[in-house]
Amino acid sequence: MKIIIGVLMVFAASGENESTFYGTLNGSVLLQCNCSTHKASLKWQKEEPNKVVYKQSKFSDTYKGRAEITSDCSLLLTNIRPEDQGKYKCIFHNPLYVFHYINLSISASYNVCQTSENNGSKKIFKCNVTGGYREAEIEWTLDKKILANSTETKITHSEPTASNGFYNFRGELEINKPNLTPEPQCGVKAKGIQSNISFVCEQPEISKPIKAEDQRKITSFYKIIPIVLVLGISLVLWHRWKMSQSRRMAEEDAFNFEGKI
């Protein structure tokens, strides 16, 4: 009897497949499910650890306010967090139970700027990193091998500092070989998620907040606009009235002149 039930359970599920989607920290990603008209039985679940994301038309507390179910049962995640990375499962009844497995891979973006200078018999490499995820560390590599402190290398790192919504990391590598070829490469490794690195020596563009004084000027400007608009309309109406009065007086003068004749 148990064997028969097990066989029935195997045949009661269909349409299992697996796909991978990629998202950026603090961004948005759409995890596709495509269940069409079967929303009533829809369930979204995250595995490892196993927890419910969406069930019976309700989101769990972790996803409230930053998740949405689309018309085709896909899951739209916004304000992506590191802990959102993992394997998801979309389940619905159609009329058999259908499973869709989705792997979500998350990355954090960083700008890396590397400079170097000679100091006698040594060469010092400096690494400045700017990114949106604090849980990361600078990593030095040479010929694709990770460097560590040794008799020939000295590595120092400073604690990350926050500025304008970004985190700044600084590190130095001192090598007792001024003419080393190839040169070591500075990178950054994020904890638990992927690192999306751009090697540029520029700060990311940041929208500066509007100062209170500038805000008052803008507000005053917008207050003046309705007044100027009313004055302009009044001037146009007055001009039309004057024109109509002039035409009426001219017509009266012409009529009086014809009567005298």
Side-chain angles (χ1 to χ4, degrees):
M1 182 65 180
K2 290 182 179 180
I3 296 175
I4 296 174
I5 293 174
V7 173
L8 288 175
M9 288 180 67
V10 170
F11 284 100
S14 66
E16 294 187 16
N17 55 68
E18 188 166 335
S19 54
T20 300
F21 290 85
Y22 300 90
T24 305
L25 196 67
N26 300 321
S28 303
V29 64
L30 182 67
L31 307 183
Q32 295 180 350
C33 181
N34 298 324
C35 77
S36 64
T37 59
H38 303 279
K39 276 191 175 182
S41 62
L42 177 65
K43 178 182 178 182
W44 274 92
Q45 182 175 310
K46 187 174 185 291
E47 301 185 335
E48 299 175 6
N50 195 323
K51 59 181 179 181
V52 173
V53 177
Y54 177 87
K55 184 181 180 180
Q56 296 177 346
S57 303
K58 293 182 181 179
F59 284 102
S60 63
D61 293 340
T62 307
Y63 296 89
K64 280 182 180 178
R66 63 184 193 93
E68 179 183 334
I69 299 297
T70 64
S71 58
D72 64 352
C73 298
S74 297
L75 175 64
L76 175 63
L77 280 179
T78 60
N79 191 22
I80 295 174
R81 303 171 182 175
E83 57 267 26
D84 291 335
Q85 179 167 273
K87 190 173 185 178
Y88 290 78
K89 181 166 62 175
C90 170
I91 311 167
F92 59 91
H93 193 256
N94 182 32
L96 304 178
Y97 279 102
V98 180
F99 300 84
H100 289 285
Y101 292 95
I102 297 104
N103 292 302
L104 176 58
S105 177
I106 297 172
S107 63
S109 297
Y110 296 93
N111 283 346
V112 174
C113 176
Q114 178 176 325
T115 58
S116 63
E117 60 185 35
N118 290 319
N119 185 7
S121 61
K122 300 177 181 180
K123 191 163 187 176
I124 299 175
F125 296 89
K126 296 183 180 181
C127 183
N128 295 325
V129 178
T130 304
Y133 184 42
R134 190 184 190 280
E135 300 301 318
E137 60 181 15
I138 291 176
E139 201 172 62
W140 293 94
T141 58
L142 180 62
D143 289 332
K144 298 182 179 180
K145 295 180 181 179
I146 298 175
L147 296 177
N149 283 314
S150 66
T151 55
E152 294 187 346
T153 59
K154 180 183 177 182
I155 298 174
T156 57
H157 295 149
S158 63
E159 286 294 318
T161 58
S163 175
N164 297 316
F166 291 89
Y167 293 98
N168 301 312
F169 305 78
R170 295 180 184 276
E172 283 192 7
L173 169 64
E174 185 179 294
I175 296 183
N176 298 331
K177 295 180 180 179
N179 299 318
L180 183 65
T181 303
E183 291 189 343
Q185 181 70 58
C186 164
V188 58
K189 183 179 180 181
K191 183 179 178 180
I193 59 177
Q194 301 296 316
S195 299
N196 183 18
I197 301 174
S198 299
F199 293 95
V200 291
C201 288
E202 297 177 0
Q203 292 294 325
E205 293 186 2
I206 302 170
S207 299
K208 296 181 179 180
I210 300 175
K211 297 180 180 179
E213 183 180 351
D214 295 334
Q215 182 65 52
R216 285 194 295 270
K217 291 179 180 179
I218 294 172
T219 304
S220 300
F221 174 76
Y222 281 109
K223 286 181 178 179
I224 293 172
I225 290 177
I227 298 173
V228 174
L229 186 61
V230 170
L231 290 175
I233 294 173
S234 300
L235 183 62
V236 171
L237 294 175
W238 179 81
H239 180 70
R240 288 183 176 179
W241 178 80
K242 288 289 291 182
M243 291 293 292
S244 64
Q245 287 292 101
S246 299
R247 284 196 298 269
R248 187 174 62 83
M249 292 179 65
E251 290 173 356
E252 289 180 353
D253 291 342
F255 178 78
N256 292 333
F257 178 77
E258 291 177 356
K260 289 180 181 180
I261 295 175

